């Protein structure tokens, strides 16, 4: 088979490249960032290592765990999950436990939840319930009171739009419980009895950081003579008779350009970026640009003390805190911090137009530190040794109520190109975990080998990825 060009060296792109070189198919991968791995990369700074969020290796697909174990070998360790959620000025074990809830919350609260749940059920007998929105779907199953108390505040912070404007697909991908009764049962049991899970109890993790997976994939690709361009972005694309014939890439360091002939193309770059390269059609561009992503700001704080918490990560659903999640790398692997020191990574979701996104690093640091003190994670600013701000664009696809209709129209257009398919989190506008990205990349590689001059059935089988559940 002829050469395959891959856009993007995140896990989906690298997994596709790995799969292809195992079949001795020539591969070249184009990555716009200076490093590989995408959202699953690790940053090394002054002896500290930071992942771009609290990544972990856990999967409902045993073949993916086996694949990663064979790839990383003895560099994986087992980590016990310890996480908490902060509500009403107190930390609670997460997933929630009945004992803590009844000890610290008013007994009126569970009664309110139950009354609201039964009232919603009665109301739905006499009206057509909203089953399309995130807010409506949850209200029908948990009642308005519990939905507003637990689910909606965190969703508003993460996604940046009102929960009633979000698709119910977000809830379906993230929640294992079917309704309030099942939740109450699980809270009292302390864990789920069924096989479906949305909360990881224990996971595997590379000792040197999650970026090891990408490094191992890239190492294998290069050993098979695969080429990986970093710091190169696609600036031009040539089409002819329903095929992509050539792309132009530009070195971001010196602006030099290279023309690459295309036999087969797999894209994992953000879908709107790909559409902008492919067409001048204003209608398609408008549909594409209406697909929105949530950005992330990570404030990595290095402290001169051995431990900040005993948790792997913490959740902050309440409005009073600007961040959604914090994790402590040292509680994943002791090697991620110098001896006697620790660090925390503070995650803030935002839009590209938010003032914080374009603020100088020093202003971001100054804005967040008071809240870290309020959260009892930093006692004295003097214990802070240094900080590092990282900005991530296109982090979370925002599922609005019309997102699937928009995707169908864009995929219908893409199916016209016989030697191009798109895959991965950004490429398919599909919120998922790292194991899912690996599956998407491998599936894309296998498809293009079996269908080198036909792409339409790829888009007809994307429903296969609907089985993925986002596991925290």
């Amino acid at each position: 088979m002829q050469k395959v060009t891959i856009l993007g060296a995140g896990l989906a792109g690298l997994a596709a490249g790995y799969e292809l070189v195992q079949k001795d198919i020539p591969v070249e991968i184009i990555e716009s960032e200076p490093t590989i791995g995408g959202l699953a990369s690790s940053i090394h700074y002054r002896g500290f290592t930071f992942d771009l969020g609290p990544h972990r290796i856990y999967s409902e697909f045993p073949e993916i765990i086996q694949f990663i174990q064979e790839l990383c070998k003895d560099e994986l360790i087992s980590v016990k999950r310890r996480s908490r959620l902060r509500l009403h000025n107190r930390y609670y074990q997460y997933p929630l436990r009945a004992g803590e809830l009844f000890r610290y919350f008013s007994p009126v609260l569970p009664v309110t939840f139950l009354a609201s749940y039964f009232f919603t059920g009665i109301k739905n007998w006499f009206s057509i319930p909203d089953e399309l929105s995130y807010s409506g779907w949850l209200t029908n199953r948990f009642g308005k009171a519990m939905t507003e108390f637990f689910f909606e505040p965190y969703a508003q912070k993460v996604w940046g739009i009102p929960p009633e404007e979000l698709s119910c697909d977000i809830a379906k991908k993230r929640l294992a419980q079917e309704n309030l009764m099942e939740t109450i049962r699980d809270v009292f049991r302390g864990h789920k009895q069924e096989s479906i899970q949305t909360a990881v109890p224990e996971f595997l993790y590379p000792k040197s950081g999650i970026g090891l997976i990408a490094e191992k994939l890239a190492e294998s690709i290069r050993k098979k003579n695969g080429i990986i361009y970093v710091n190169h972005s696609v600036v031009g694309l040539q089409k002819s008779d329903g095929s992509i014939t050539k792309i132009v890439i530009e070195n971001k360091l010196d602006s030099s350009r290279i023309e690459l002939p295309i036999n087969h193309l797999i894209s994992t770059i953000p879908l709107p970026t790909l559409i902008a390269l492919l067409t001048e059609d204003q209608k398609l561009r408008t549909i594409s640009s209406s697909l929105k992503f949530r950005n992330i700001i990570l404030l990595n704080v290095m402290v001169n003390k051995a431990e900040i918490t005993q948790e792997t990560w913490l959740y902050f659903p309440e409005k009073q805190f600007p961040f959604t999640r914090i994790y402590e790398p040292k509680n994943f692997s002791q090697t991620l911090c110098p001896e006697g020191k620790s660090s925390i990574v503070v995650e803030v979701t935002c839009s590209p137009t938010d003032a914080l996104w374009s603020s100088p690093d020093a202003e971001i640091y100054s804005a967040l530190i008071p809240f870290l003190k309020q959260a009892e994670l930093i006692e004295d600013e003097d214990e802070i040794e240094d900080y590092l701000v990282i900005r991530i664009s296109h982090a979370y696809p925002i599922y609005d109520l019309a997102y699937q209709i928009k995707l169908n129209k864009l995929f219908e257009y893409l199916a016209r190109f016989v030697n191009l398919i798109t895959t991965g989190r950004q490429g398919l506008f599909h919120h998922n975990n790292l194991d899912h990205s690996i599956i998407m990349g491998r599936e894309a590689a296998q498809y293009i080998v079996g269908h080198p001059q036909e792409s339409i059935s790829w888009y007809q089988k994307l429903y296969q990825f609907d089985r993925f559940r986002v596991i925290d």
Side-chain angles (χ1 to χ4, degrees), residues 25 68 229 289 379 389 416 465:
I25 297 170
I68 296 174
Y229 295 90
S289 62
E379 296 177 9
V389 174
R416 301 176 190 175
F465 301 134

Side-chain angles (χ1 to χ4, degrees), residues 58-103:
Y58 185 88
S59 183
E60 297 175 298
F61 304 98
E63 68 274 16
I64 296 300
I65 294 296
Q66 182 179 350
F67 175 76
I68 296 174
Q69 288 175 324
E70 291 173 354
L71 195 69
C72 299
K73 296 184 172 61
D74 58 354
E75 296 184 63
L76 295 178
I77 57 175
S78 180
V79 181
K80 184 177 176 59
R81 173 203 176 115
R82 297 188 302 273
S83 62
R84 289 191 292 170
L85 174 147
R86 188 177 174 98
L87 279 174
H88 293 212
N89 299 315
R90 184 180 294 276
Y91 286 102
Y92 296 88
Q93 293 293 319
Y94 186 84
L96 295 168
R97 296 178 181 176
E100 283 192 302
L101 287 176
F102 284 101
R103 187 182 311 153

Side-chain angles (χ1 to χ4, degrees), residues 112-118 120 135-148 150-151 171 175-184:
T112 302
F113 289 164
L114 283 168
S116 176
Y117 170 72
F118 288 116
T120 299
S135 181
W137 193 89
L138 287 167
T139 297
N140 294 333
R141 288 155 180 78
F142 297 90
K144 189 173 182 62
M146 186 172 182
T147 298
E148 290 181 345
F150 279 116
F151 301 116
L175 295 178
Q177 295 96 344
E178 288 295 325
N179 53 48
L180 179 61
M181 295 296 100
E182 189 175 338
T183 300
I184 291 172

Side-chain angles (χ1 to χ4, degrees), residues 301 323 326 344 346 368-378:
V301 181
F323 36 78
I326 289 176
I344 51 174
V346 183
L368 297 181
I369 287 299
F371 293 100
L372 292 179
K373 292 179 179 178
Q374 185 181 341
E376 305 166 276
L377 297 172
I378 297 294

Side-chain angles (χ1 to χ4, degrees), residues 53 81 189 192 268 283 328 371 375 420 426:
R81 173 203 176 115
R189 285 178 177 174
K192 283 195 69 61
T268 69
K283 185 177 180 181
E328 187 167 355
F371 293 100
L420 162 68
Q426 280 85 3

Side-chain angles (χ1 to χ4, degrees), residues 6 8-19 29 31 36-41 55-57 64 67-68 71 210-218 221 268 423-426 432-442:
I6 300 169
L11 287 187
L14 291 170
Y18 178 92
E19 189 79 11
I29 302 177
E31 172 56 53
I36 60 169
L39 294 174
S41 59
H55 295 290
R56 52 271 185 196
I57 301 168
I64 296 300
F67 175 76
I68 296 174
L71 195 69
I210 204 68
L212 180 73
I213 299 173
E215 291 166 13
K216 291 292 186 181
L217 287 169
I221 291 168
T268 69
T423 193
R425 183 180 183 130
Q426 280 85 3
N432 56 30
N433 291 135
L434 70 83
D435 59 321
H436 305 145
S437 291
I438 293 172
I439 292 172
M440 287 173 160
R442 296 178 74 188

